[in-house]
Amino acid sequence: MRVIAIDGPAGAGKSTVAAALARRLGVARLDTGAMYRAVAFAALREGIDPGDGVRLGALARALDLEVGERVTVDGVDATAAIRGPEVTAVVSAVSVHPEVRAELVRRQRVWAEAHDGGVVEGRDIGSVVFPNAEVKVFLTAAEAERARRRVVQDDLDGDHAAVASDLARRDRIDSTRPASPLAVAQGALVMDTTGRSVDDVVEEVMEVLARL
Ligand code: DC
């Protein structure tokens, strides 16, 4: 099983790079952030407190979740809603709970077995979920550039300062939580994507793969 792990903070270019890389390699791709967002979406729907790890863990275990081109949660298409401001506001708080993480990590490993590996993006993929991944990439980018990309990607109104402060808030929670915080995995290739094109970044990863 061949897993390529792509980790990094919000807006570093993970989704775009992961999708392009999966296409080039002809393998599947999993956006694990979409899974945490789906749990946050369901928690809002059920009125569960983002601080209640026990209930959120039970919710994560019970969810009928499909994460692919579209994201469905208990049969409801949540593709657009999981990118909306309500979910974005609570997703980091939902993601701190070990009960939630244990279930989503289990599902991520099942997914990889079923697809015989693939490109998997998130925050803890190279460090925790697939520590034996064939290649680990940690993408970063300057904060202003990350905010600009989020505005474009999520079609937000153009308030870059507000988006930047929200990214910084999420990064702080994601990096300082005790359970699998965002961190550079051992052996990861750290790439700053500021000012670089997607093709350029993908090419560098392809070169690393070719040398294996
Ligand atoms: O990649 P994203 O911005 O869609 O991720 C949303 C949130 O999900 C992120 O702020 C933290 C959480 N997350 C996580 O804790 N672990 C992962 N492997 C992926 C995402």
Side-chain angles (χ1 to χ4, degrees):
M1 183 172 89
R2 186 162 101 147
V3 170
I4 296 162
I6 314 261
D7 289 303
K14 297 186 300 294
S15 292
T16 319
V17 168
L21 201 54
R23 240 188 337 267
R24 279 280 291 271
L25 295 167
V27 300
R29 163 208 168 209
L30 180 63
D31 174 359
T32 65
M35 299 172 75
Y36 289 91
R37 287 174 179 272
V39 175
F41 167 82
L44 289 172
R45 187 190 57 189
E46 313 253 318
I48 299 176
D49 182 343
D52 189 341
V54 172
R55 280 191 74 195
L56 289 170
L59 175 73
R61 290 191 292 277
L63 275 190
D64 178 8
L65 184 58
E66 276 172 47
V67 175
E69 277 306 306
R70 307 210 62 85
V71 175
T72 55
V73 181
D74 289 336
V76 176
D77 190 326
T79 313
I82 63 163
R83 308 276 163 211
E86 295 85 0
V87 169
T88 299
V90 298
V91 65
S92 283
V94 167
S95 307
V96 303
H97 302 291
E99 297 91 337
V100 172
R101 307 202 67 81
E103 172 58 15
L104 294 191
V105 168
R106 187 192 68 75
R107 290 184 191 228
Q108 289 154 21
R109 290 178 177 150
V110 167
W111 178 93
E113 287 286 340
H115 291 82
D116 199 23
V119 179
V120 185
E121 59 165 294
R123 302 289 188 290
D124 59 344
I125 307 306
S127 55
V128 172
V129 188
F130 299 110
N132 298 322
E134 188 169 29
V135 173
K136 300 177 188 180
V137 180
F138 189 93
L139 295 182
T140 63
E143 199 168 284
E145 173 126 350
R146 298 198 283 118
R148 190 186 58 73
R149 288 178 189 163
R150 267 294 143 110
V151 167
V152 173
Q153 199 175 7
D154 291 349
D155 199 18
L156 305 171
D157 60 29
D159 187 353
H160 287 225
V163 175
S165 98
D166 189 60
L167 287 186
R169 177 189 66 81
R170 275 209 290 141
D171 289 345
R172 202 166 45 247
I173 302 174
D174 297 343
S175 316
T176 56
R177 66 181 178 223
S180 2
L182 168 68
V184 179
Q186 202 168 15
L189 168 72
V190 179
M191 296 175 74
D192 187 338
T193 67
T194 312
R196 294 184 68 179
S197 72
V198 175
D199 284 351
D200 190 30
V201 174
V202 169
E203 206 49 56
E204 186 174 337
V205 180
M206 291 297 289
E207 280 165 21
V208 171
L209 281 166
R211 284 200 296 272
L212 291 177

